Amino acid sequence: MPESVRLAMAEPTIHHRTPEFEAIFEETRALLFKLMATDEVVMLASTGTGAMEAAVTNLCHDTLLFVNSGKFGERFGKIAKAHGLTTMEVRNAWDTPASVEEVVSAVKANPHIDAIAIQISESAGGLRHPVEEIAAAVKAINPEIMVIADGITAVGVERIDVAHIDCLIAGSQKALMLPPGLAILGLSHAAIEKTGEGRGYYLNLASEIKKQRQNTTAYTAATTLVIGLLEVLKQIDTFGFGKLYCDTARRAKATRFALEAIGLHSYPHTPAKSMTTIDDAQASEIRAILKEDFGVNVAGGQDHLKGKIFRINQMGFIESYESVWVVNAVELALAKLGRRAYDGTANRVYNEEYFKNMLQPKESA
Ligand SMILES: *Cc1c(COP(=O)(O)O)cnc(C)c1O
């Protein structure tokens, strides 16, 4: 969390049904439209999973096809089942993205499918699904099918083409650099039409849309988090969303190249830009050394990947000197484990990749 965001959130709490908060809400919505590039945006006082549930219950009325290449994909299926919806699954190993062909053949095989749900970046194994291609292919078969894309570790990481996406989900505590508790849904006109009067009570998108268009919320807004979100979005907007996406992509690539150069293996077949995921028999030992010797926290794996992977965050404002410190710490950890003599390769490769365009003459506009 950037300091300015923490400070903005430290101001006295204001009442949500006031012109003062409505002005903040309006400004936040305007910047969210810029971030999401969807026809409508809705903020919910819930974590990301609440938005996933709202998307499924409001946009799927019959059969949900869910893509499962990890814990979060699996969750879409669990949500649908909890609501008595029929499900169909496209399942792969956690390092393997869904292919357009397998989704297309599943959609063609079952005319009851009225929505598909997929992660853009599946955080369980750090992979990127080809969501835009899948969405376009599904819409070509049947434009009525709703495409729900969980962008919780993708929105704020890279520009997402929402041309064929009906619902794009974001959450506060990942790339948006905020505490947990706020979720955002970007919706297409078709999604708004499909939800009609809305479904459910608290997670009823129709009642939220109605209120949020008037710069208020159906129930009490998460005021402090909205204030924090406004500050985050304003900051990104001052230097441009494009620069954030570009820096993140460079950092993610440079980190992966640096770690591969010291003999480590990138786990997913199609790495997401949100995180760098390494599978290694000594993942736990590496994580422990990073934490104890270098003050670096990296995430481990869950379920069958516990102790087998580590994941380095690339989301948010991260200075390249921090990434340089991290890849160097990993190289030192390998030396400490007796795997490889330390020679500064990780740092050199990171810097070469990250800064390679800096010395080239600037192209004229
Ligand atoms: C973290 C995460 C979620 C879950 O969000 P919560 O805020 O924990 O409910 C869903 N999808 C992805 C891809 C995530 O990384």
Side-chain angles (χ1 to χ4, degrees):
M1 281 181 62
E3 187 182 25
S4 67
V5 176
R6 281 185 275 128
L7 290 174
M9 294 178 60
E11 292 290 314
T13 307
I14 57 176
H15 193 282
H16 59 291
R17 308 266 183 228
T18 54
E20 193 188 357
F21 184 70
E22 283 169 18
I24 291 169
F25 199 86
E26 185 174 11
E27 208 181 342
T28 310
R29 258 173 75 79
L31 285 166
L32 278 178
F33 276 107
K34 220 165 164 175
L35 174 74
M36 309 289 278
T38 47
D39 298 326
E40 188 52 82
V41 296
V42 171
M43 289 174 254
L44 289 178
S46 83
T47 70
T49 305
M52 290 167 74
E53 182 155 351
V56 169
T57 53
N58 285 269
L59 302 180
C60 179
H61 302 161
D62 187 344
T63 301
L64 181 76
L65 176 74
F66 67 102
V67 169
N68 176 359
S69 291
K71 245 191 143 45
F72 297 105
E74 180 187 47
R75 185 169 299 174
F76 270 129
K78 288 183 174 172
I79 290 168
K81 283 173 203 141
H83 286 279
L85 294 163
T86 311
T87 59
M88 224 182 132
E89 183 176 14
V90 169
R91 190 172 181 173
N92 281 296
W94 288 19
D95 61 355
T96 307
S99 70
V100 176
E101 298 73 44
E102 58 190 340
V103 174
V104 162
S105 64
V107 167
K108 283 184 175 161
N110 187 342
H112 294 287
I113 292 169
D114 67 331
I116 75 156
I118 183 168
Q119 275 55 45
I120 298 174
S121 153
E122 169 53 86
S123 316
L127 72 77
R128 177 67 156 87
H129 282 299
V131 174
E132 296 86 343
E133 291 85 345
I134 289 174
V138 167
K139 289 289 185 185
I141 300 167
N142 179 358
E144 308 264 288
I145 295 175
M146 291 284 113
V147 176
I148 301 167
D150 167 359
I152 293 172
T153 51
V155 173
V157 170
E158 57 178 311
R159 197 178 302 285
I160 293 145
D161 177 3
V162 293
H164 303 287
I165 292 173
D166 294 293
C167 177
L168 176 65
I169 300 167
S172 55
Q173 83 275 24
K174 306 266 173 81
L176 298 178
M177 299 172 271
L178 290 164
L182 190 70
I184 299 137
L185 295 110
L187 299 165
S188 68
H189 290 309
I192 297 166
E193 200 168 303
K194 170 111 186 223
T195 193
E197 302 287 295
R199 301 262 167 141
Y201 188 78
Y202 184 70
L203 298 177
N204 184 309
L205 291 180
S207 44
E208 281 301 339
I209 290 166
K210 191 168 162 231
K211 290 288 184 184
Q212 296 196 16
R213 282 177 175 166
Q214 299 159 38
N215 299 315
T216 186
T217 47
Y219 312 103
T220 306
T223 49
T224 306
L225 289 167
V226 174
I227 288 166
L229 177 61
L230 176 58
E231 184 57 35
V232 166
L233 295 174
K234 271 181 172 169
Q235 266 202 40
I236 300 174
D237 200 40
T238 53
F239 54 80
F241 288 82
K243 174 160 168 50
L244 174 66
Y245 303 149
C246 179
D247 288 352
T248 305
R250 283 167 71 200
R251 196 167 58 237
K253 195 171 176 195
T255 302
R256 179 160 57 83
F257 281 16
L259 299 184
E260 285 174 349
I262 55 169
L264 293 172
H265 179 253
S266 171
Y267 174 71
H269 297 313
T270 50
K273 296 183 177 85
S274 53
M275 64 196 77
T276 306
T277 305
I278 299 294
D279 58 312
D280 195 277
Q282 288 184 298
S284 297
E285 289 89 335
I286 294 169
R287 282 182 69 215
I289 295 171
L290 290 179
K291 184 162 186 176
E292 282 153 30
D293 295 4
F294 301 100
V296 172
N297 279 302
V298 299
Q302 292 172 293
D303 293 359
H304 64 284
L305 291 183
K306 200 170 189 325
K308 302 212 167 97
I309 60 166
F310 64 90
R311 296 174 291 163
I312 301 173
N313 171 53
Q314 303 292 356
M315 296 173 276
F317 303 148
I318 301 172
E319 298 294 341
S320 49
Y321 62 77
E322 291 187 67
S323 301
V324 161
W325 172 265
V326 171
V327 296
N328 189 58
V330 175
E331 183 174 345
L332 285 164
L334 293 188
K336 217 171 163 179
L337 290 167
R339 299 239 311 244
R340 188 183 172 282
Y342 177 77
D343 60 5
T345 295
N347 243 290
R348 180 178 55 75
V349 172
Y350 183 95
N351 284 322
E352 277 172 4
E353 177 57 33
Y354 191 85
F355 294 106
K356 71 180 177 192
N357 292 328
M358 232 189 124
L359 299 176
Q360 280 170 13
K362 290 240 188 313
E363 274 176 49
S364 53

